[in-house]
Every structure is written in C-alpha cells, then in structure tokens.
Amino acid sequence: MNSIILRTAIRFLMPLLILFSLFLLVRGHNQSGGGFAGGLVAAAAFALYSLSYNANEARRVLKISPAVLITSGLLVAVSSGLIGLLAGQPFLTGLWTYITIPGFGALEVGTPVLFDIGVYLLVFGITITLVFSLEEGA
Amino acid sequence: MSQSGFLLIAPLLVPILTAIAGLFGLAILERDLPASRRLQRLIATVGASVLLVAVLALFLQVRVNGIQVVQVGSWPMPFGITLVADLFSAIMLVVSGLIGFAVHLYALASINKEREAIGYYPLYFVLLLGVNGAFLTGDMFNLYVWFEVMLMSSFVLMALGTDKGQTIGSIKYVTLNLISSAIFLSALGLLYGLIGTLNMADMAVKFGEVRADPEATGLINAVAAMFLIAFGIKAAVFPLFFWLPDSYYAPPPAVSAVFAGLLTKVGVYALIRVFTLIFPLGSGPFQTILLWVAGLTMLTGVLGAVAQNEVRRILSFHIISQIGYMIMGLALFTPLAISGAVFYIFHHVVVKTNLFLVAGAMERAGKSGDLYKIGSLYKRMPLLAVLFLIPALSLAGLPPLSGFFAKLSLLQGGFAVDQFWLVGVALFVSFLTLFSMTKIWNLGFWKPDPAEEVEGQPEPVSIKTRWAAWYLPMILLALVTLAIGFGAGQFFPIAVDAGQQLIDPSGYIEAVFRSAE
C-alpha cells in the first residue's frame, strides 16, 4: 500500500502502540489486559508498519528475528514455572517478592509476571510471523 | 503439599525444553544450515536420552511408592490441573520414552535435510510432549488440550513436504481429528453442566451420586457415547478407522513409525481411562457396544490388510486389527482381561513401531514399498530379515514372543466370561495376521527381485556406518520384544497390578484427593 497519510501517521503511532502494549502487559496483573493482549497490540504496530512500507522494511525496523522472539517467549514462560520447581514447589507455583524502589515504594514482583512476559513475546513473535508471511506471499 | 513432584513433571519438561533449545538453534543459525543441523541433531539426541531416563525413573517411583500426584501451580483440585501417574500411566510413559528414543535414532539416519531445516526435531519433541501430557493428566479438559498439542504437531510433521499423496493423507487426518475434537469438547461441556467438575477423580465421585438419579441416565449415556466416538476416531476403531491407512502410509518412515506406535494408542489410553474411572463398564449398554466394536475392529482391520500389497499399508491395517484386541481387553472388563490389554498395548507399540522401521529400510533398499516390485532382501540383507521376523512373529502371537502372552491373557479373559464368539474371532484374526506377515516375508524377502531378471544379480547391500544407524533402533526394539516375551514372568505381574488399579479406581481417587489436602 502506498499511502503518504499512513506512512506519516505510522511514525507517530508506532511508539504509542508499543507503549500501550507495555501498559497492557503490566496492567494485566490486576485488571484486564495481560501478555496476550499486549503482544497483539505490539504486533499490530509492526503489522501497520509493514502495511505502509513492506515486510522487509518492517523486519529491518524490528531488528530481532521473529523466530528469536517466539523461542525466547517460550523459554521465559517455561522458566517462570521452573522457578517454582527449583524452590521445591510444584511446577508453575506462583512465587512473589517485594522490591523497594526509592521514591516509588514497594513493588510486588512474581513469577506470574515472568509468565506474562513470555506470553507477550510469544504472541508478538507469532503474529508478526503470520503477518510478514502473508505480506510476502501476496 | 510439600512435594514438588519433579519426576512427574519431567516427562513434560524434558520435551518442551528440548523443543525450545532446538528452536533457538534454528532461529539463531538461520543462515548457517549445516551448523544448525548439527546442533539440532545433538540437542535432540540429548533430549531423547534424558527423556528415556526420566520416564524410567518415574516408573520406578510409581512401582515402589504407588500412585504419584501433583497439583500443578499448587492450585488444589478440582480447580487446578492435576497430574497423576498410576501404574498404567507410568507404563505408557515408559513406552513413549522408549519409542521416542528409538525413532529419534532412526530419524537421525533417515530424515532428509529439508525436513531438518524446517524444524523436524523441535516438532517431534512437541509431539512427544503432547503424548506424555495426555498420559499424565488427571483433568479432562487438560486431556483435550494435550490432544490438540498432539494434533497440531502431528499434522505439521505429516504435511511437511509437498508430495500429493502426503497432502491427501494429512487433510483426511486433520479433518477427522478436528471432528473428533469438536465432539470431545461438546461432551466436556455437557459433562461440566451435569456435574460441575473436570477433574477425573472428582468426576468419578460425583458421577456415583448422579447415577442414582434415574432422570440423568439418558444424559450420562449420551455423554459416554460422545466420548466413545471422540476417542474411537483417535484410536481408529470400527467403523471410524478409515482415515488411518492413508495418513500413516504417506509420511516418511520415521514419522509414520512414531504415529503408528504412539498416536492411536493415546486414543486407546483415553478410552480405557474414561471407561474404567468415569463410566465404569458393567452397567449400561456400553460393554456390549465395546465387545462388538472390538470384534469388528479386529476383523475389518485384518481383512483390509489382506487386500494390500504395499508393506506400510499392510502394517497400517494391522494397527486397526490390533486396536481391536486392546478394546477387547477393556470390554471384557475383568482384572485379567484389562491386565492383558495393558500388556498388549506395551507389546504392540514396541512391535508395530519396529515393523514400520523395518518397512522403511525395506523401501529404501528395494526402492519401493510395493511387494511385487521388490524381492530377495533375505539374500541381500540377512540381518534385516531377522529383524523383521522377530516383531512380525510376535505380532502374529507365536510363542515365546511377547505377542503370545498378550493374546493368551486376553483369550483366557474371554473364556472366563464365556465370550466364545469373540475369542473365536480373535484366534481367526491372529491366524490371518500370520498370513499377512508370511506374505511380506515371501514376497519381500524370499521371492527373487523382479529387477534381477532384467539386470542380473543385484549386489548385496553393504553394511556401512549409515546402515548401522538404521539398524540400531530396530535391534533395540527387537531386544525389548524378546525381553518381555522371555521375561513375561517378570513383566506380566506389573501389568496385573496396573489392571488392578484400573478396575478398582478407589486407590486412584483416594490418591488424588489426599494430595489436595
């Protein structure tokens, strides 16, 4: 697609969409959102980019190969389960800890966050693989 | 609840970590294919060996300490997902680890570079993950998920490559399996509406209460029938088997060997689990239905095989007839018969996988799978002939090989409850199986090669390192067949214990409930 409006708009939309996807990822803990939705929004940013330019250009901007995203997503998700196992609990048991950040307060961090990040990367990677393949096949 | 259940989760963790490591190799070395191939092969070999050790360890644990249960994520049942390994599950896991290892060795020698580059090894481990998950889970919905994992990976394994026959086979396979999944899912919905739980042990308890209500009988029977159809398609029983011969014949030998060995048996496992734990046979119409299904499955499978001339097609039809024997063990529903079915499954998976491996080697040596186009393999490859003969005679049930004891216990079980017709059918089918195996032997190994008459004497196939890699897994599986045949006195008691646990599921239920406290 060769549209100057889309090309101009995407430059402003990309950072917003990626920020929004991270927001969704973090928010997903206690409210609606999460890794899956976040990953889809992040993929949407790159899908838009590849629509307004082309898949090769989008790959160049992404810098990491989608395959690496997929596998690291899987690895992060599995390791969130492994942490519970190493702590002597059943696989995937959620473990939580508090990190105090000066000037911010206590932050609750746990293995489910890691799992969500894994899902985020996996969904992101798979969706853009699909979009890129469709673009290149056309 | 302090146990981490490390051994229970290992049969799932090892394949998924192997698959991830393989995918990493694939993703990082995208541009350097030879290096990527070497890395893939190394990772997969390590993974397959570790998996074999892990399932053996779990088996010993279950054998010594009884049924093992873990609540994944520490969420207590019936809310969380429970993994349960009773003796039957543990036996199935051992066989899956063994086949996973043997077929992997075979794949190292026989899978072509294109498939390796697309990601054959990671997919293979995802398949094993699905199979192991199905054997371990104690949750009905989770079973559905594992079935889907298995279906997706097996579909890709089957469809990789652009052969026309392969595409036809895989489309049939995936369509039928999707229908089966849809029926399975609807049955799960109905079941959940009826008793409000998805945990198998919890279901067994709640069903005991619901069954007293005469108004619920119709619905219970409908749900049970839906499970029977859903798993029946997966297990390829009569009259739902028609997808199997085309699909199992098409892919490369290593892939079809693991399909032939493991995939339908997951369906049989699910049937046995559901109809011993949740809907115990003995009440309702299902015992009669299953007895008929068993007899007809045996008969149609073996008759279908008689009409075929290609090695792997003959063997595919024999899978169907052998499934009939396993269903027979379930349908008779006596401790001896169920133990016989468990023993039969173990024996059958080892033997059938081995036969598919041999068939792959025959096709390679003779450059065709058609029995009328190959011949004199005995002269050219005597070792292959011996390696064919062991599983083939065991399949037909000749003493003292493993198939004899498997069939003997089923026949005794049949006599004990006066199912003379079914016993008669089983004996007749055995006889026809022997006939089929003789046919492969005569035409493939003894008959002069048709090419000989044109080109003169063919050279004997030399055993180089490459062939040694082909032979190794066949020898391994043949040794297992011999071991469980000659050592039936040691191995059959394990099957008897597994059968006891199946026919009286109170131990299973108690173990699951106790672990949630």
Side-chain angles (χ1 to χ4, degrees):
Chain A
M1 201 190 302
N2 198 357
S3 149
I4 191 137
I5 301 175
L6 193 58
R7 283 191 186 193
T8 317
I10 193 69
R11 286 164 194 261
F12 297 100
L13 277 175
M14 275 271 277
L16 276 179
L17 279 171
I18 291 170
L19 267 181
F20 183 58
S21 78
L22 291 174
F23 165 72
L24 277 177
L25 167 68
V26 180
R27 180 187 142 99
H29 266 298
N30 299 318
Q31 285 160 302
S32 41
F36 197 95
L40 280 180
V41 172
F46 284 89
L48 267 179
Y49 196 89
S50 77
L51 271 180
S52 52
Y53 294 88
N54 57 49
N56 267 337
E57 193 66 14
R59 272 183 211 278
R60 198 183 56 76
V61 172
L62 181 63
K63 291 198 174 68
I64 313 168
S65 123
V68 173
L69 280 177
I70 295 174
T71 40
S72 35
L74 273 173
L75 189 64
V76 171
V78 172
S79 55
S80 83
L82 281 175
I83 293 173
L85 197 63
L86 290 178
Q89 301 276 325
F91 186 67
L92 276 176
T93 302
L95 296 173
W96 294 89
T97 176
Y98 289 91
I99 299 174
T100 329
I101 300 171
F104 180 78
L107 188 67
E108 199 180 18
V109 201
T111 51
V113 185
L114 214 53
F115 188 81
D116 244 5
I117 295 173
V119 173
Y120 177 92
L121 292 172
L122 182 63
V123 172
F124 182 23
I126 287 201
T127 316
I128 53 173
T129 308
L130 293 177
V131 172
F132 288 172
S133 316
L134 288 173
E135 282 263 313
E136 281 162 352
Chain B
M1 248 338 289
S2 58
Q3 260 188 328
S4 69
F6 179 74
L7 276 179
L8 261 176
I9 199 82
L12 307 179
L13 266 183
V14 175
I16 197 169
L17 287 177
T18 312
I20 293 174
L23 280 173
F24 253 118
L26 210 60
I28 290 167
L29 295 171
E30 237 165 348
R31 301 218 167 67
D32 187 3
L33 280 182
S36 164
R37 269 189 64 217
R38 277 198 302 277
L39 185 64
Q40 299 281 314
R41 293 160 72 93
L42 179 70
I43 292 171
T45 310
V46 172
S49 327
V50 175
L51 181 61
L52 183 58
V53 174
V55 291
L56 285 173
L58 176 64
F59 173 77
L60 285 180
Q61 172 89 346
V62 172
R63 182 84 180 122
V64 175
N65 297 334
I67 299 174
Q68 300 290 310
V69 185
V70 69
Q71 316 282 351
V72 176
S74 300
W75 298 101
M77 59 82 61
F79 310 109
I81 290 166
T82 314
L83 297 183
V84 192
D86 64 349
L87 211 43
F88 182 40
S89 292
I91 291 173
M92 296 304 287
L93 283 169
V94 168
V95 88
S96 141
L98 181 67
I99 297 308
F101 181 70
V103 175
H104 170 68
L105 289 186
Y106 192 81
L108 283 180
S110 70
I111 286 290
N112 58 25
K113 289 186 181 125
E114 290 75 28
R115 285 201 171 78
E116 284 179 330
I118 300 173
Y120 168 82
Y121 296 112
L123 270 171
Y124 179 70
F125 279 91
V126 175
L127 180 71
L128 289 181
L129 169 74
V131 171
N132 289 352
F135 291 151
L136 266 177
T137 185
D139 183 279
M140 246 354 208
F141 189 78
N142 199 228
L143 180 64
Y144 167 77
V145 174
W146 291 122
F147 268 133
E148 292 303 292
V149 171
M150 231 164 59
L151 176 60
M152 279 186 285
S153 48
S154 58
F155 178 57
V156 181
L157 277 178
M158 196 181 271
L160 277 181
T162 46
D163 197 319
K164 189 180 165 204
Q166 215 174 334
T167 315
I168 295 174
S170 9
I171 299 244
K172 272 189 196 171
Y173 173 79
V174 82
T175 314
L176 254 295
N177 274 285
L178 280 177
I179 293 173
S180 149
S181 299
I183 298 173
F184 185 7
L185 203 56
S186 328
L188 273 177
L190 282 175
L191 198 57
Y192 192 74
L194 196 63
I195 52 175
T197 181
L198 289 168
N199 184 289
M200 294 185 196
D202 200 26
M203 272 179 173
V205 174
K206 294 237 167 78
F207 249 118
E209 296 157 12
V210 175
R211 208 174 276 114
D213 179 7
E215 279 179 22
T217 316
L219 198 51
I220 292 177
N221 282 346
V223 172
M226 284 167 89
F227 277 127
L228 179 60
I229 293 170
F231 297 143
I233 292 177
K234 307 255 185 215
V237 300
F238 179 87
L240 307 163
F241 59 78
F242 41 85
W243 58 272
L244 188 140
D246 276 349
S247 328
Y248 281 15
Y249 164 71
V255 175
S256 68
V258 76
F259 284 11
L262 286 179
L263 289 197
T264 44
K265 261 53 75 181
V266 181
V268 177
Y269 168 85
L271 274 177
I272 293 183
R273 185 63 81 202
V274 165
F275 284 98
T276 52
L277 184 62
I278 302 168
F279 309 100
L281 294 174
S283 60
F286 287 98
Q287 189 161 19
T288 324
I289 294 176
L290 277 174
L291 284 170
W292 275 95
V293 165
L296 288 170
T297 308
M298 283 187 239
L299 208 56
T300 42
V302 87
L303 291 179
V306 172
Q308 302 298 321
N309 289 322
E310 300 200 27
V311 184
R312 276 198 281 162
R313 264 187 199 272
I314 297 179
L315 294 176
S316 294
F317 274 99
H318 276 292
I319 298 178
I320 300 167
S321 80
Q322 305 284 311
I323 297 283
Y325 284 95
M326 300 166 202
I327 304 297
M328 172 180 166
L330 169 66
L332 292 171
F333 209 64
T334 61
L336 178 64
I338 297 229
S339 314
V342 173
F343 192 78
Y344 204 102
I345 294 176
F346 192 97
H347 137 79
H348 168 84
V349 174
V350 173
V351 161
K352 184 55 85 181
T353 310
N354 203 0
L355 282 173
F356 266 82
L357 298 183
V358 174
M362 286 171 74
E363 279 172 27
R364 191 184 145 84
K367 298 191 178 58
S368 168
D370 190 334
L371 283 172
Y372 286 97
K373 292 190 185 142
I374 58 176
S376 64
L377 285 174
Y378 178 68
K379 205 167 14 174
R380 294 163 62 195
M381 307 167 82
L383 180 59
L384 188 69
V386 174
L387 287 174
F388 169 76
L389 215 54
I390 294 171
L393 294 181
S394 178
L395 188 77
L398 256 62
L401 294 162
S402 56
F404 170 72
F405 297 101
K407 281 185 177 151
L408 183 68
S409 55
L410 286 179
L411 297 183
Q412 281 181 339
F415 275 125
V417 288
D418 294 347
Q419 291 289 345
F420 298 117
W421 272 105
L422 197 56
V423 170
V425 170
L427 281 172
F428 178 63
V429 169
S430 258
F431 181 68
L432 284 183
T433 309
L434 188 58
F435 167 76
S436 271
M437 293 303 123
T438 319
K439 178 170 155 187
I440 298 180
W441 174 258
N442 280 345
L443 294 179
F445 287 92
W446 261 6
K447 169 178 67 76
D449 192 342
E452 243 173 84
E453 287 151 26
V454 193
E455 300 158 14
Q457 282 288 337
E459 291 165 31
V461 178
S462 58
I463 299 181
K464 288 182 190 150
T465 34
R466 205 171 153 70
W467 277 106
W470 287 66
Y471 280 137
L472 201 62
M474 298 182 211
I475 294 172
L476 174 71
L477 292 180
L479 286 178
V480 173
T481 306
L482 291 175
I484 56 175
F486 284 100
Q490 273 78 46
F491 288 101
F492 203 76
I494 303 175
V496 170
D497 289 348
Q500 284 293 350
Q501 286 180 358
L502 283 171
I503 209 144
D504 175 22
S506 57
Y508 181 98
I509 296 167
E510 199 201 310
V512 172
F513 274 88
R514 198 177 47 226
S515 82
E517 279 163 9

